[in-house]
Amino acid sequence: MQTATSIDSTSSVHHNMSEREWQMRVNLAACYRMIASYGWDDLVFTHISARVPGTEDEFLINPYGMLFEEITASSLVKVNKAGEKVAPSEFEVNPAGFIIHSAVHEARDDAHCVIHLHTSDGVAVSAQEKGLLPISQQSLFPLSNLAYHDYEGVALNPEEKVRLVADLGDAHFMILRNHGLLTCADTVANAFLYMYIMQRACEIQIKAQSGGGTLTPIPAQILAGIQAASEQVTRGANGDIAWPALLRKLRRTDPSFEE
């Protein structure tokens, strides 16, 4: 429930920005809450970032030390590509945690939202030599537009950004070897849906492998057809189909993300 203090704080933040930025904040805060609700968060150690509408080099990211389930629209911190605060905020950020995100945002005009997670199933698949396998319908969507980046240690080296961006190319899905999953898209809704589908594909793969039986791959010609039409396939997975319903669910359970 909103207190008088929280209402005043939210109102102050809201009035100091454009309506487009506020709506981006609401959607990004909602995305953090949804990731937490599915159990895909990793305490405070992963990030979801979004470009501030109408800018090229300003981004929104979570306050360092705050759980995903605590994120609100007004608590998101505005930073530059170096991860430095560019607007007053009582919250701190982790510049090192923004290295991967800033690399993608800088290289891709269409990457308005970047999601990076360390889910158990995602990391498990990232550690497998063959990566994501074509064994489920869910796997076809990421496999239509999937990139890989080899592990180079904890992402603290700015020089890694060049190699990561080269590996990503124009893909919307990426598996960071021995590390986790990444998606990027033109909207928060699309980036979330891409992550949802890739995460589900990883969950299915780990469950299928745990049975110990021989797996049935999707025929090569079907996979090749999906990959040849990758742009249409990924654009067809439009997050706007599910996003309004997800927002309605959040508002029923805990509308505080909009504060």
Side-chain angles (χ1 to χ4, degrees):
M1 179 181 296
Q2 285 187 325
T3 64
T5 300
S6 67
I7 292 173
D8 290 343
S9 175
T10 300
S11 177
S12 175
V13 172
H14 191 172
H15 287 156
N16 288 328
M17 66 186 64
S18 69
E19 188 60 30
R20 290 176 65 201
E21 178 178 337
W22 181 253
Q23 289 306 313
M24 178 63 82
R25 284 174 172 269
V26 168
N27 281 318
L28 186 57
C31 190
Y32 274 103
R33 297 294 187 97
M34 291 175 198
I35 294 296
S37 72
Y38 282 105
W40 298 340
D41 49 344
D42 184 15
L43 295 180
V44 299
F45 299 115
T46 58
H47 309 277
I48 311 168
S49 60
R51 192 189 312 274
V52 175
T55 74
E56 293 297 324
D57 56 359
E58 293 184 351
F59 310 93
L60 300 170
I61 198 164
N62 52 315
Y64 195 39
M66 189 175 285
L67 295 172
F68 282 20
E69 66 187 40
E70 300 176 301
I71 302 296
T72 63
S74 58
S75 69
L76 291 162
V77 184
K78 190 186 300 187
V79 299
N80 59 22
K81 61 184 180 181
E84 302 165 335
K85 289 193 288 185
V86 295
S89 174
E90 62 182 296
F91 304 106
E92 295 302 321
V93 297
N94 176 15
F98 192 56
I99 286 180
I100 289 174
H101 293 255
S102 64
V104 178
H105 283 301
E106 286 183 60
R108 294 273 296 273
D109 290 338
D110 64 328
H112 294 297
C113 180
V114 179
I115 303 176
H116 169 47
L117 302 180
H118 299 158
T119 65
S120 296
D121 294 305
V123 175
V125 169
S126 79
Q128 296 185 8
E129 182 178 358
K130 294 185 178 181
L132 186 63
L133 302 175
I135 59 171
S136 67
Q137 178 167 283
Q138 287 81 355
S139 72
L140 292 181
F141 289 93
L143 285 172
S144 73
N145 196 240
L146 179 62
Y148 288 87
H149 176 63
D150 288 339
Y151 189 64
E152 297 189 25
V154 178
L156 299 176
N157 181 9
E159 294 178 2
E160 183 181 354
K161 294 168 65 171
V162 176
R163 294 182 288 275
L164 187 147
V165 165
D167 289 338
L168 178 64
D170 60 359
H172 296 289
F173 303 84
M174 178 174 249
I175 291 180
L176 303 169
R177 294 284 191 184
N178 312 101
H179 188 172
L181 307 178
L182 182 146
T183 60
C184 63
D186 56 344
T187 66
V188 174
N190 282 343
F192 177 81
L193 184 60
Y194 293 166
M195 182 59 74
Y196 179 90
I197 295 171
M198 182 159 58
Q199 169 64 17
R200 287 299 187 216
C202 290
E203 292 173 4
I204 291 167
Q205 179 167 321
I206 296 302
K207 287 181 181 296
Q209 291 171 324
S210 69
T214 301
L215 303 181
T216 303
I218 289 173
Q221 64 269 28
I222 293 178
L223 178 58
I226 291 289
Q227 290 174 328
S230 63
E231 187 66 16
Q232 290 85 346
V233 170
T234 52
R235 286 183 181 273
N238 193 317
D240 289 338
I241 295 172
W243 193 250
L246 290 168
L247 289 178
R248 291 195 299 272
K249 181 178 180 179
L250 269 183
R251 288 175 177 132
R252 288 194 302 270
T253 57
D254 184 0
S256 64
F257 73 96
E258 294 186 278
E259 294 179 2

